[in-house]
Amino acid sequence: MKNPASEKEGLQSLGSKFFSLQEERVLTYRQLDDAHKVYLATGPQYDFSAFRAAVHHATVDFKRISESIIDVEKNLRENDHTAAADLIKAIQDSEKKKLEFTAHLQLARQMLAEPGSGQMEVDKEREIRGELGKLVEEINDNLSELRYEAYNEK
Protein backbone atom coordinates (compact mmCIF):
# COMPACT_ATOMS: atom_id res chain seq x y z
CA MET A 1 0.00 0.00 0.00
CA LYS A 2 1.31 3.43 -0.96
CA ASN A 3 1.86 6.02 1.74
CA PRO A 4 -0.16 9.17 0.82
CA ALA A 5 2.43 11.46 2.45
CA SER A 6 5.30 9.98 0.43
CA GLU A 7 3.16 10.10 -2.74
CA LYS A 8 2.59 13.81 -2.17
CA GLU A 9 6.32 14.34 -1.74
CA GLY A 10 6.84 12.38 -4.94
CA LEU A 11 4.37 14.60 -6.75
CA GLN A 12 6.02 17.73 -5.38
CA SER A 13 9.48 16.40 -6.20
CA LEU A 14 8.49 15.52 -9.75
CA GLY A 15 6.71 18.86 -10.08
CA SER A 16 9.87 20.66 -8.97
CA LYS A 17 11.91 18.67 -11.47
CA PHE A 18 9.48 19.59 -14.24
CA PHE A 19 9.53 23.31 -13.33
CA SER A 20 13.32 23.28 -13.30
CA LEU A 21 13.34 21.71 -16.76
CA GLN A 22 10.77 24.25 -17.95
CA GLU A 23 13.05 27.06 -16.75
CA GLU A 24 15.89 25.51 -18.78
CA ARG A 25 13.59 25.46 -21.80
CA VAL A 26 12.75 29.16 -21.34
CA LEU A 27 16.47 29.95 -21.12
CA THR A 28 17.13 27.95 -24.29
CA TYR A 29 14.44 29.92 -26.12
CA ARG A 30 16.04 33.16 -24.90
CA GLN A 31 19.47 32.05 -26.14
CA LEU A 32 18.00 31.04 -29.50
CA ASP A 33 16.25 34.40 -29.80
CA ASP A 34 19.46 36.24 -28.94
CA ALA A 35 21.37 34.21 -31.54
CA HIS A 36 18.74 35.05 -34.14
CA LYS A 37 19.03 38.78 -33.34
CA VAL A 38 22.81 38.55 -33.82
CA TYR A 39 22.24 36.63 -37.07
CA LEU A 40 19.90 39.33 -38.41
CA ALA A 41 22.42 42.01 -37.48
CA THR A 42 24.97 40.35 -39.80
CA GLY A 43 22.73 40.92 -42.84
CA PRO A 44 22.63 41.27 -45.71
CA GLN A 45 25.52 38.78 -45.93
CA TYR A 46 24.32 36.86 -42.83
CA ASP A 47 26.64 34.71 -40.75
CA PHE A 48 24.65 31.52 -41.23
CA SER A 49 27.33 29.19 -39.84
CA ALA A 50 27.25 30.87 -36.41
CA PHE A 51 23.45 30.82 -36.35
CA ARG A 52 23.38 27.18 -37.48
CA ALA A 53 25.67 26.30 -34.54
CA ALA A 54 23.32 28.12 -32.14
CA VAL A 55 20.31 26.29 -33.61
CA HIS A 56 22.13 22.97 -33.24
CA HIS A 57 22.95 23.73 -29.61
CA ALA A 58 19.32 24.71 -28.92
CA THR A 59 18.04 21.58 -30.66
CA VAL A 60 20.24 19.37 -28.50
CA ASP A 61 19.06 21.18 -25.37
CA PHE A 62 15.38 21.05 -26.38
CA LYS A 63 15.65 17.32 -27.05
CA ARG A 64 17.33 16.61 -23.70
CA ILE A 65 14.79 18.72 -21.85
CA SER A 66 11.86 17.13 -23.65
CA GLU A 67 13.10 13.60 -22.98
CA SER A 68 13.53 14.43 -19.27
CA ILE A 69 10.04 15.92 -19.12
CA ILE A 70 8.61 12.81 -20.78
CA ASP A 71 10.27 10.78 -17.98
CA VAL A 72 8.63 13.03 -15.37
CA GLU A 73 5.25 12.58 -17.07
CA LYS A 74 5.74 8.81 -17.17
CA ASN A 75 6.65 8.71 -13.47
CA LEU A 76 3.58 10.75 -12.60
CA ARG A 77 1.33 8.36 -14.54
CA GLU A 78 2.92 5.33 -12.89
CA ASN A 79 2.14 6.86 -9.50
CA ASP A 80 -1.49 7.65 -10.37
CA HIS A 81 -0.98 11.41 -10.70
CA THR A 82 -2.79 11.50 -14.03
CA ALA A 83 -4.07 15.08 -13.70
CA ALA A 84 -0.51 16.39 -13.33
CA ALA A 85 0.72 14.09 -16.10
CA ASP A 86 -2.07 15.30 -18.41
CA LEU A 87 -1.11 18.92 -17.74
CA ILE A 88 2.52 18.17 -18.56
CA LYS A 89 1.42 16.44 -21.77
CA ALA A 90 -0.63 19.50 -22.72
CA ILE A 91 2.35 21.76 -22.00
CA GLN A 92 4.59 19.54 -24.11
CA ASP A 93 2.12 19.68 -27.01
CA SER A 94 1.94 23.48 -26.77
CA GLU A 95 5.73 23.74 -26.52
CA LYS A 96 6.08 21.71 -29.72
CA LYS A 97 3.77 24.15 -31.51
CA LYS A 98 5.63 27.08 -29.94
CA LEU A 99 8.93 25.82 -31.34
CA GLU A 100 7.40 25.52 -34.82
CA PHE A 101 5.97 29.04 -34.60
CA THR A 102 9.31 30.33 -33.32
CA ALA A 103 11.01 29.01 -36.46
CA HIS A 104 8.30 30.63 -38.61
CA LEU A 105 8.75 33.90 -36.73
CA GLN A 106 12.48 33.84 -37.34
CA LEU A 107 11.89 33.39 -41.06
CA ALA A 108 9.31 36.18 -41.06
CA ARG A 109 11.72 38.49 -39.27
CA GLN A 110 14.42 37.73 -41.80
CA MET A 111 12.01 38.49 -44.63
CA LEU A 112 11.08 41.72 -42.87
CA ALA A 113 14.77 42.68 -42.66
CA GLU A 114 15.26 42.22 -46.40
CA PRO A 115 15.29 45.28 -48.63
CA GLY A 116 11.96 45.75 -50.36
CA SER A 117 9.90 44.12 -47.65
CA GLY A 118 6.47 45.61 -47.24
CA GLN A 119 3.14 45.41 -45.50
CA MET A 120 2.68 41.73 -46.33
CA GLU A 121 5.84 40.85 -44.35
CA VAL A 122 4.79 43.13 -41.49
CA ASP A 123 1.35 41.49 -41.36
CA LYS A 124 2.81 37.98 -41.45
CA GLU A 125 5.24 38.73 -38.63
CA ARG A 126 2.42 40.26 -36.56
CA GLU A 127 0.17 37.24 -37.20
CA ILE A 128 2.86 34.79 -36.08
CA ARG A 129 3.62 36.86 -32.96
CA GLY A 130 -0.10 36.76 -32.15
CA GLU A 131 -0.22 32.98 -32.47
CA LEU A 132 2.89 32.68 -30.30
CA GLY A 133 1.27 34.91 -27.70
CA LYS A 134 -1.77 32.63 -27.57
CA LEU A 135 0.46 29.59 -27.15
CA VAL A 136 2.46 31.23 -24.37
CA GLU A 137 -0.78 32.12 -22.59
CA GLU A 138 -1.98 28.52 -22.94
CA ILE A 139 1.35 27.23 -21.59
CA ASN A 140 1.23 29.66 -18.66
CA ASP A 141 -2.35 28.65 -17.81
CA ASN A 142 -1.34 24.99 -17.76
CA LEU A 143 1.76 25.79 -15.69
CA SER A 144 -0.44 27.54 -13.12
CA GLU A 145 -2.78 24.56 -12.97
CA LEU A 146 0.18 22.23 -12.59
CA ARG A 147 1.60 24.31 -9.73
CA TYR A 148 -1.74 24.07 -7.98
CA GLU A 149 -1.95 20.32 -8.63
CA ALA A 150 1.60 19.65 -7.43
CA TYR A 151 1.79 21.93 -4.42
CA ASN A 152 -1.79 22.28 -3.15
CA GLU A 153 -2.94 18.70 -3.33
CA LYS A 154 -5.34 17.72 -0.57
Side-chain angles (χ1 to χ4, degrees), residues 7-20:
E7 277 190 43
K8 185 174 180 183
E9 288 174 8
L11 175 58
Q12 288 179 354
S13 174
L14 289 167
S16 292
K17 183 175 181 180
F18 168 79
F19 286 112
S20 176

Side-chain angles (χ1 to χ4, degrees), residues 22-127:
Q22 186 67 16
E23 287 175 20
E24 287 183 51
R25 182 160 34 202
V26 169
L27 178 62
T28 302
Y29 270 114
R30 193 170 299 128
Q31 291 168 341
L32 184 60
D33 188 51
D34 289 346
H36 190 254
K37 287 175 184 172
V38 169
Y39 169 71
L40 288 179
T42 65
Q45 300 304 321
Y46 297 112
D47 182 2
F48 185 69
S49 62
F51 182 61
R52 181 177 55 217
V55 168
H56 174 74
H57 179 73
T59 301
V60 169
D61 283 350
F62 282 135
K63 183 176 186 219
R64 176 189 53 78
I65 292 164
S66 183
E67 288 171 351
S68 296
I69 288 173
I70 289 167
D71 286 343
V72 169
E73 179 194 349
K74 180 181 171 193
N75 285 330
L76 287 167
R77 288 195 193 284
E78 289 172 354
N79 289 294
D80 297 322
H81 298 296
T82 54
D86 289 346
L87 287 166
I88 287 175
K89 174 78 169 99
I91 292 166
Q92 284 288 90
D93 292 345
S94 295
E95 286 287 358
K96 180 180 178 187
K97 292 176 194 170
K98 181 182 172 191
L99 187 56
E100 291 171 8
F101 275 101
T102 297
H104 291 302
L105 182 61
Q106 289 176 346
L107 290 172
R109 286 183 173 160
Q110 183 170 346
M111 295 292 287
L112 200 55
E114 294 294 322
S117 65
Q119 192 59 44
M120 185 171 75
E121 289 80 9
V122 169
D123 291 345
K124 186 65 176 173
E125 194 261 355
R126 184 178 301 132
E127 175 187 337

